[in-house]
Amino acid sequence: MAITSALLYRGNLGTGTNTLYLATANTVVTNIAIANSNATSVTATVNLSTGGTSFALLSAVTIPANSTVFFDLKQYIANTQTITGGASTT
C-alpha cells in the first residue's frame, strides 16, 4: 500500500468545535502539529468523531506562547469520519 502525506488543517482553530479534517478514504494519522503564535499560552483540543460519537485525541493540551507542539500517534480513521478541534483563544 502506498503512503501519501496529506494536510489535515491549516489556520486558526477558533474557539468552537471546528471540522479540521474529513476522511475521504480510510486513513492513518501519524502526526499532529499545533502552533501558537500568541504571546500567551492557549489550550487546544482535538477530537475524532465517528458517526455521532466523539472522543478526545488531545484534551485541553497547553500550547506555550510562541511555540509549536508535535504529537505522534497512529490513529486509524475510517472513510467519512472527521477530526474536529478548537482552542481556548485564537
Side-chain angles (χ1 to χ4, degrees):
M1 176 172 80
I3 297 174
T4 303
S5 295
L7 176 66
L8 295 181
Y9 181 81
R10 179 171 286 151
N12 290 333
L13 284 178
T15 56
T17 300
N18 305 287
T19 298
L20 307 178
Y21 181 73
L22 169 62
T24 56
N26 294 339
T27 304
V28 175
V29 175
T30 58
N31 307 94
I32 295 175
I34 301 175
N36 175 12
S37 60
N38 291 316
T40 59
S41 296
V42 299
T43 59
T45 298
V46 178
N47 301 303
L48 174 61
S49 299
T50 59
T53 303
S54 181
F55 68 91
L57 295 173
L58 307 169
S59 181
V61 174
T62 300
I63 312 299
N66 299 306
S67 65
T68 302
V69 177
F70 298 90
F71 301 94
D72 293 325
L73 67 153
K74 300 278 189 282
Q75 178 62 55
Y76 173 80
I77 301 173
N79 186 28
T80 72
Q81 292 179 338
T82 60
I83 294 177
T84 62
S88 58
T89 188
T90 58

